[in-house]
Amino acid sequence: RPLPRWKYVAGRFAGLLAAVFSAKGLMALMHVGVMLLKGWVPETFFFACYPFMALKISVATALALFFSLFSTSQVSSVVFTLFFWLLGHFGTELEFLAEKARNAAAGLGLKAFLLLLPRLELLNYKDLIEAPSAGAGMLLARGAVYAVMYAGACLALSATLFSRKEL
């Protein structure tokens, strides 16, 4: 029977996440196993990084799904996804460049572009461990909400884009 296109997009996203999370889980088990063999003593805060890795993966997967529907070739889809992934880790630096831009139009254009990029530095758990602050938990919660909303927006755009395509 016919399936609504938004359900197809949601299923595709869930399938991609299942595949990536199973591979990531296997890698995490191997990583912890090797460290335990080398005499590592587990610390509880170490394992708290995995949910934030999962959120980053979810955002990247939603972006990849969007770009796979947006672009005409697989290569351009991969390039756009990698481009957004890399720049998504440098939001603070790009904001600094936008503020220091001598040309007002360039600064404004960069700020507008920043609105499209995912702010993946909000999910850098290691930064809060290395330089703890009083509001670290709130920052991580804000980053988690942001990641869910960004991925949701990408999926909504993907479903809209896919619903307008002819099969």
Side-chain angles (χ1 to χ4, degrees), residues 86-107:
L86 288 174
L87 288 180
H89 286 90
F90 295 103
T92 307
E93 290 82 0
L94 292 172
E95 280 179 350
F96 176 77
L97 288 175
E99 294 296 325
K100 297 297 180 185
R102 294 178 190 246
N103 185 341

Side-chain angles (χ1 to χ4, degrees), residues 28 46 71 109 117-118 142 147:
F46 174 81
S71 64
L117 288 177
R142 190 180 92 197

Side-chain angles (χ1 to χ4, degrees), residues 22-126:
S22 61
K24 180 66 180 163
L26 183 61
M27 286 187 285
L29 285 174
M30 290 171 38
H31 178 235
V32 170
V34 168
M35 290 193 326
L36 287 172
L37 286 173
K38 292 290 186 178
W40 175 66
V41 178
E43 298 178 27
T44 55
F45 70 87
F46 174 81
F47 296 101
C49 70
Y50 287 107
F52 297 99
M53 285 184 209
L55 286 170
K56 280 186 178 186
I57 290 169
S58 298
V59 169
T61 304
L63 273 170
L65 183 59
F66 172 73
F67 287 129
S68 72
L69 292 169
F70 175 76
S71 64
T72 56
S73 73
Q74 292 175 349
V75 173
S76 62
S77 173
V78 170
V79 168
F80 279 132
T81 303
L82 287 175
F83 180 71
F84 270 62
W85 171 264
L86 288 174
L87 288 180
H89 286 90
F90 295 103
T92 307
E93 290 82 0
L94 292 172
E95 280 179 350
F96 176 77
L97 288 175
E99 294 296 325
K100 297 297 180 185
R102 294 178 190 246
N103 185 341
L108 189 61
L110 189 53
K111 284 182 182 179
F113 182 64
L114 275 167
L115 293 174
L116 298 175
L117 288 177
R119 299 300 299 263
L120 296 174
E121 79 273 2
L122 296 174
L123 298 169
N124 283 345
Y125 178 78
K126 67 177 177 56

